[in-house]
Amino acid sequence: MRLHSLGRWSLRAWLAVSLLLGTVCVGAQPSLPAPPASYAFYYDQDIPWETLGAFDTVVVEPDHAQQSAWMHRLNPGSTVAAYVSVGEIHPTRSYFAKVRPEWKLGANTAWGSIVIDQTATDWHAFYLREVIEPLWARGFRAFFLDTLDSFNLVAKTDEARSTQAAGLAGLIRAIKSAHPEARLIFNRGFEILPQVHGLAHAVVAESLFQGWDAGSQSYREVPPQDRDWLLAQLRRCRDEYGLPVVAIDYVAPQQRELARETARRIMALGITPWVSNPALNMVGVGRVEAIPREVLALHDESRHVAAVALHEIHRVGTMPLNYLGLDATHVYFDAPEMSRLSERPLIGRYAGVLTWFNRGSFPETPRVMKLLNTAREQGVPVVIVGAMPGDAALDSFGIDVGESARGNLSLKLEKRSPHVGFEMEPQPIVDSFAPLHLRQGDVWLRVTAASGQYADAIGIAPWGGFAVDRYWKLDLSQDQGERWVVNPIEFFRAALRVRPEVPVPDVTSDNGRRLLMVHVDGDGFPSKAEIPGTPLAGDVLLREFLLRYPFPTTFSLIEGETSPKGLYPALSPRLEATARRIFALDHVEIASHTYSHPFYWSDVELGQVREGRYMSLDLPNYKYNAEREIVGAARYMETLAPPGKRTRVVLWSGDTEPLETPVRLAYQAGLLNMNGGLTLITRAVPTLTQVAPLGMMKGSWYQVYAPNQNENVYTDNWNGPFYGYERVIETFEMTDLPLRLKPVNIYYHAYSATKRASISSLHKVYQWAQAQPLHPVLGSEYIERALDWRRATVARTADGAFELRGGGPWLRQWRVQTGVAATDWARSAGVAGELPSGAVRYLHMSAPVSRLALGAAAANAAPTAAAAPAPRLESANARLVRWEREGALWRIAFTGHQPLRARMRAGGCELDPGSTLRATRVAPDILDIEGSTLGTTAFLLRCAG
């Protein structure tokens, strides 16, 4: 084979991914042909599942892949394929010691592996038993078959090669016979394809245009004669056998534009590309190029993840990233994984590298500096906030440093950006001054001394951006909180080069309407209310709120408060009877608030008892057990539920900062999880530092934060004023305008039903929500959207459009900045409509995979009847579940928790005469549709043209 010298073997032990795009619902635009399936290959550890979800098939090294990780981190529409070597076995494989001597045909000395005799007795059964079956049991349903022509290293005659090819074809048949639904992806295997091409799902080959020379350890262009030979083989596979074909080419990480151009050349030949590095340990360029959403965030908190949650890099720094569609991966600067991170390509995986060190100095370790230099070389933005590195490092970043001065200095501030002075004007630091000069870039804040020397304190540079400690965020005196000097969203947007036209997944809204969710922590369920008759809090909640306001509600109990084995055995029958009435309500879903209500999760998990702290409820003869808290309590809740109604959610208790184990147990028990964060912005504390992120990774598991906080923090830890929760309305309003940062979340404890003032304030909150045009959802439905948000991907296509994958079945809301080009409906697919709203334009998707193309029309131009004969969804209070066109007929369905209220731009369209819905034409091209029942509402629209 003439390609071997270019690195045929460099694909060994590396994996490939494949998934065909499923049937895409037709949006309000003409049907577009489905694109070919996309493939990605990634073999390193710490697999970037979220980013690789942009591709249909992802090939990975199975020793690095746990199904428990990809099942909740990878887009469920992507297929995971396991790399398996067929023709050879390397000594590092667990089953190598079981290989019989007579099966060894020869050796591949370049890789230190043995070549297998494919005709050997019992070899096929061994391979199925030791290789395929364990992977099948782990959840793999696709296999990337490598080393299919290794026998050529040993078999030197035509007869010997023919015999080995026949044996190999027999093994392929055995695999397919054992698992008919398995997808088998061939790496070359051209010799056996005439015999088994009907069993192949796709064929892959390396080095069509750009290759890797293993001998000289260098990249090189493929010679024309080698390219022509390989292209002829791939065309035969595609045209004669009808198989998808994939070409893997190799380009240096810092040559991203060459990688893009190579991918375009491969696609022009009707072949699916994957352009990466020879180690296949980077996110390369395929049929689409994934736009990374992960920011590598380096910090100086060496303790556990609950402590990192309190570090500014997460507590106040991650929410602005979330708004931009980004999430932070927090890494301690001296953690063991820094060795791997400093060696791995960063391009394609990370949207940027952020350093945020709080302890007064910048740790210029070799691994930190190498990682930052690699980022700059590969064009990955670097953002430095807080502590600055030393003079030599700053010089390498294009910043000149002068001699520092100390004393009572006279300094003048010059704001050069409208984004400075955001929540507070910058304050000069008069006790020290270090001249800094950004040689190239955009200075946002300059500090000038009386001597004429100046320091650029905040700046945007070609490599990213920086903001000097105490000039971009200020700590107020006497523990009065913090204020942003610079608008953090706009600073990160500029420094990380976030383009306004790149769509952002959104969990605050659905179909243009802001989400509303209600969830209740069970604390105080047995408490007596301070009202006539002293009823129990649970009974008051049922009568005053759950029956009066039938919003979808996620309701939890603490098992240790309500069960016969808990704190109140005499009250238990009464408490459980009330719980049964609550759990039987159709609009209530069951949640657990744990067994003993741990107050300080990390302390309890680590066995650290602190003087004066109650660690949990003092339950008889009980010692903390994580499984009992999570799984046991969830099963107890189901004993109080109607048949078939299951516990859906665990709501974290106490400080809401579990470590990894409880979160993992929740996932493994099939439970969603929520609570944590601190969103407490009010008119008294008007700062984005009081708006929490979406959640946080705890190991490999994501903890979803509550969008808003409960009455406890509005009432000074339930010390009063007890009407304080009504101020959450301020929080709702301030997280909606000027930017919608959170959904509406009515979140309270059962003990809110014990005092007249708190009952009254809770009524005010409910009544405020009733008056708003909201989209009610269950807590679980919000959590599902948050998890979909992490898995959602946005990728750029070869023609400049965007391919959007919602990360799962729940997230269908995206947005772009106001001012970008209008939607090009003729070139888009799976987009049901849009709604301009303030600073953004909400985009409503009708399919798991959609295509968004932007045109050159005015950004806010609303579609007219003439321009848009098909309907466009503008807003709805329910989830869109069907949007299909059959000629002039549109089949549309929503499902929701309230009677349907939907508005459409539907000039030339009328509601089918047989519908029971009410349609009102409020303008020539606007149609309001209203239903009268809950659940799923389906209807037909007949549209002219």
Side-chain angles (χ1 to χ4, degrees):
M1 296 295 179
R2 289 184 279 178
L3 263 288
H4 286 184
S5 62
L6 287 176
R8 146 75 178 86
W9 300 108
S10 63
L11 195 57
R12 328 169 20 76
W14 307 95
L15 304 163
V17 178
S18 74
L19 166 68
L20 291 173
L21 287 178
T23 301
V24 177
C25 296
V26 179
Q29 59 281 316
S31 178
L32 299 177
S38 55
Y39 289 75
F41 298 75
Y42 193 93
Y43 185 65
D44 205 356
Q45 302 177 50
D46 186 24
I47 300 169
W49 294 113
E50 291 83 0
T51 304
L52 293 176
F55 302 92
D56 296 318
T57 298
V58 183
V59 180
V60 297
E61 164 56 56
D63 288 349
H64 298 160
Q66 298 299 322
Q67 185 185 25
S68 59
W70 88 60
M71 288 298 288
H72 70 274
R73 292 180 54 194
L74 179 69
N75 189 320
S78 298
T79 294
V80 181
Y83 168 91
V84 291
S85 177
V86 180
E88 303 176 20
I89 298 182
H90 195 272
T92 56
R93 294 298 177 183
S94 60
Y95 45 85
F96 180 83
K98 301 178 184 179
V99 175
R100 298 177 189 174
E102 63 267 25
W103 294 348
K104 300 177 182 179
L105 187 66
N108 180 349
T109 56
W111 287 91
S113 55
I114 63 168
V115 179
I116 297 295
D117 181 358
Q118 299 296 324
T119 68
T121 303
D122 296 333
W123 162 246
H124 293 179
F126 174 88
Y127 195 84
L128 282 170
R129 182 177 67 252
E130 297 293 335
V131 181
I132 299 300
E133 295 304 332
L135 295 175
W136 191 268
R138 288 173 51 191
F140 290 97
R141 297 296 180 265
F143 301 91
F144 177 62
L145 309 180
D146 196 17
T147 63
L148 291 177
D149 49 7
S150 292
F151 61 80
N152 288 299
L153 293 172
V154 181
K156 299 303 183 182
T157 68
D158 290 343
E159 182 181 0
R161 286 189 288 267
S162 177
T163 300
Q164 288 299 314
L168 190 60
L171 177 56
I172 301 298
R173 294 189 189 99
I175 295 173
K176 196 68 173 177
S177 176
H179 299 290
E181 65 271 44
R183 295 180 179 181
L184 304 183
I185 305 164
F186 288 20
N187 180 22
R188 297 167 65 99
F190 300 132
E191 298 90 342
I192 65 170
L193 277 168
Q195 304 176 56
V196 294
H197 61 83
L199 306 181
H201 182 71
V203 175
V204 178
E206 315 172 67
S207 305
L208 187 58
F209 289 101
Q210 302 290 332
W212 170 255
D213 190 317
S216 63
Q217 294 289 290
S218 62
Y219 295 92
R220 58 177 292 189
E221 188 171 353
V222 176
Q225 64 272 21
D226 290 346
R227 179 168 56 252
D228 292 344
W229 180 88
L230 182 58
L231 185 57
Q233 303 302 313
L234 294 176
R235 282 173 170 162
R236 182 184 184 192
C237 294
R238 182 192 64 195
D239 301 338
E240 183 177 337
Y241 300 147
L243 293 171
V245 290
V246 181
I248 301 177
D249 274 25
Y250 301 117
V251 170
Q254 60 269 27
Q255 293 185 292
R256 195 67 169 183
E257 191 50 51
L258 176 59
R260 295 180 181 120
E261 175 58 28
T262 302
R264 287 192 289 266
R265 293 176 71 187
I266 294 171
M267 281 190 287
L269 298 172
I271 297 171
T272 299
W274 180 251
V275 185
S276 184
N277 63 337
L280 292 173
N281 65 349
M282 68 180 257
V283 179
V285 180
R287 180 182 62 75
V288 297
E289 181 178 4
I291 297 175
R293 298 181 54 221
E294 182 180 3
V295 173
L296 185 59
L298 306 185
H299 60 83
D300 49 8
E301 175 52 75
S302 61
R303 294 177 296 163
H304 50 69
V305 68
V308 177
L310 301 177
H311 192 287
E312 288 183 341
I313 200 169
H314 175 73
R315 182 175 52 81
V316 302
T318 300
M319 185 282 293
L321 296 176
N322 290 169
Y323 182 78
L324 295 171
L326 308 174
D327 204 10
T329 296
H330 304 96
V331 178
Y332 174 53
F333 78 90
D334 205 23
E337 61 261 40
M338 280 294 293
S339 295
R340 185 173 66 252
L341 288 171
S342 63
E343 299 291 339
R344 176 197 292 150
L346 305 175
I347 189 70
R349 174 165 184 164
Y350 296 107
V353 177
L354 168 66
T355 70
W356 193 321
F357 303 120
N358 280 350
R359 311 210 168 179
S361 63
F362 191 105
E364 294 187 45
T365 66
R367 293 183 297 185
V368 168
M369 301 315 295
K370 183 175 182 179
L371 188 146
L372 297 182
N373 289 332
T374 297
R376 283 188 302 152
E377 289 172 359
Q378 296 177 8
V380 177
V382 174
V383 183
I384 303 172
V385 301
M388 296 288 111
D391 294 0
L394 287 174
D395 179 68
S396 70
F397 278 93
I399 300 176
D400 297 322
V401 184
E403 188 171 343
S404 298
R406 295 189 176 277
N408 190 10
L409 304 168
S410 176
L411 303 175
K412 182 177 68 174
L413 300 178
E414 179 185 357
K415 294 193 299 182
R416 294 187 166 199
S417 167
H419 302 305
V420 176
F422 177 57
E423 294 176 348
M424 175 173 279
E425 291 298 321
Q427 305 295 314
I429 303 168
V430 298
D431 58 346
S432 64
F433 177 77
L436 298 174
H437 173 216
L438 178 64
R439 293 197 290 268
Q440 183 180 0
D442 184 12
V443 175
W444 283 24
L445 177 64
R446 176 167 287 176
V447 183
T448 305
S451 63
Q453 290 184 307
Y454 62 88
D456 295 331
I458 303 174
I460 304 300
W463 46 264
F466 68 97
V468 176
D469 191 22
R470 294 193 289 172
Y471 276 111
W472 83 311
K473 184 179 71 68
L474 285 174
D475 295 330
L476 304 182
S477 61
Q478 298 179 341
D479 294 326
Q480 294 298 304
E482 309 153 280
R483 296 292 186 273
W484 287 109
V485 172
V486 65
N487 184 326
I489 293 174
E490 296 307 323
F491 172 75
F492 283 134
R493 189 195 304 277
L496 294 170
R497 301 197 288 271
V498 178
R499 300 289 303 168
E501 73 275 10
V502 174
V504 172
D506 191 286
V507 299
T508 69
S509 310
D510 198 358
N511 293 326
R513 289 203 182 195
R514 193 180 185 190
L515 299 181
L516 162 69
M517 53 176 289
V518 180
H519 79 287
V520 183
D521 288 349
D523 309 49
F525 193 76
S527 300
K528 292 183 178 181
E530 299 171 6
I531 59 177
T534 59
L536 298 183
D539 296 318
V540 178
L541 282 178
L542 177 61
R543 180 184 70 247
E544 290 285 327
F545 301 105
L546 299 178
L547 294 176
R548 184 178 296 190
Y549 308 103
F551 291 138
T553 300
T554 303
F555 197 95
S556 72
L557 298 172
I558 304 168
E559 181 183 349
E561 282 193 336
T562 59
S563 76
K565 297 180 180 180
L567 294 177
Y568 311 105
L571 273 179
S572 178
R574 183 176 169 187
L575 297 170
E576 290 189 336
T578 302
R580 287 187 175 92
R581 292 181 63 195
I582 292 173
F583 287 165
L585 295 174
D586 289 339
H587 64 279
V588 169
E589 74 173 351
I590 305 173
S592 165
H593 202 41
T594 75
Y595 176 59
S596 72
H597 193 284
F599 293 113
Y600 301 97
W601 279 90
S602 61
D603 288 348
V604 169
E605 290 182 71
L606 298 173
Q608 298 174 346
V609 179
R610 302 186 185 229
E611 186 176 352
R613 276 189 174 183
Y614 290 99
M615 306 311 291
S616 64
L617 298 180
D618 188 15
L619 299 176
N621 304 313
Y622 174 68
K623 183 178 180 181
Y624 172 79
N625 178 281
E627 188 162 356
R628 182 69 184 85
E629 295 289 343
I630 308 303
V631 183
R635 301 292 82 89
Y636 163 77
M637 303 301 154
E638 292 167 1
T639 67
L640 308 176
K645 198 169 186 179
R646 303 299 303 272
T647 305
R648 293 284 293 127
V649 180
V650 57
L651 298 174
W652 302 113
S653 62
D655 67 357
T656 66
E657 285 297 345
L659 301 184
E660 178 179 358
T661 297
V663 186
R664 171 179 58 80
L665 289 172
Y667 276 86
Q668 292 174 342
L671 296 170
L672 300 168
N673 80 96
M674 186 169 63
N675 278 354
L678 182 65
T679 295
L680 197 59
I681 183 173
T682 62
R683 292 188 180 91
V685 190
T687 171
L688 292 186
T689 63
Q690 289 291 305
V691 182
L694 186 62
M696 185 180 190
M697 287 296 287
K698 299 295 179 74
S700 294
W701 316 90
Y702 194 66
Q703 176 186 350
V704 178
Y705 289 164
N708 294 124
Q709 299 315 114
N710 55 54
E711 82 287 40
N712 193 55
V713 293
Y714 288 90
T715 59
D716 188 24
N717 295 321
W718 203 238
N719 289 310
F722 297 110
Y723 57 81
Y725 187 56
E726 62 191 53
R727 298 201 67 182
V728 76
I729 295 173
E730 297 176 20
T731 305
F732 296 157
E733 293 172 342
M734 296 178 75
T735 52
D736 188 32
L737 294 172
L739 300 178
R740 185 172 294 173
L741 303 173
K742 296 287 181 180
V744 173
N745 177 201
I746 301 177
Y747 169 28
Y748 57 95
H749 293 94
Y751 56 68
S752 263
T754 62
K755 295 184 180 294
R756 290 180 180 273
S758 57
I759 292 171
S760 176
S761 70
L762 195 51
H763 277 300
K764 288 183 180 179
V765 174
Y766 270 102
Q767 290 162 9
W768 178 90
Q770 280 184 316
Q772 310 303 311
L774 302 173
H775 182 146
V777 295
L778 289 164
S780 63
E781 294 170 340
Y782 169 77
I783 298 168
E784 294 278 18
R785 286 173 170 86
L787 298 178
D788 283 358
W789 180 90
R790 293 205 77 252
R791 295 185 294 246
T793 60
V794 53
R796 198 179 293 274
T797 64
D799 63 353
F802 296 102
E803 186 174 279
L804 309 178
R805 300 184 180 222
W810 289 94
L811 190 144
R812 293 290 182 269
Q813 187 76 88
W814 295 72
R815 55 178 161 80
V816 294
Q817 288 293 105
T818 296
V820 304
T823 301
D824 185 339
W825 297 100
R827 295 173 52 234
S828 298
V831 187
E834 62 183 21
L835 176 67
S837 178
V840 302
R841 187 163 85 239
Y842 289 105
L843 304 164
H844 320 320
M845 303 304 167
S846 62
V849 181
S850 55
R851 171 186 164 88
L852 175 69
L854 300 176
N860 292 322
T864 64
R872 307 266 192 258
L873 175 62
E874 186 170 285
S875 66
N877 67 344
R879 181 179 171 219
L880 181 65
V881 294
R882 189 173 190 184
W883 187 265
E884 298 175 344
R885 181 178 183 174
E886 297 176 4
L889 190 68
W890 287 78
R891 298 185 182 276
I892 300 171
F894 294 88
T895 185
H897 298 278
Q898 290 184 334
L900 177 67
R901 301 290 184 270
R903 170 165 289 189
M904 297 189 179
R905 293 206 173 259
C909 300
E910 297 293 340
L911 190 64
D912 187 76
S915 176
T916 60
L917 304 178
R918 184 171 73 254
T920 305
R921 180 73 61 182
V922 297
D925 64 333
I926 296 179
L927 190 65
D928 281 355
I929 298 177
E930 299 183 9
S932 58
T933 60
L934 306 180
T936 300
T937 303
F939 57 93
L940 303 178
L941 283 183
R942 296 185 182 275
C943 302

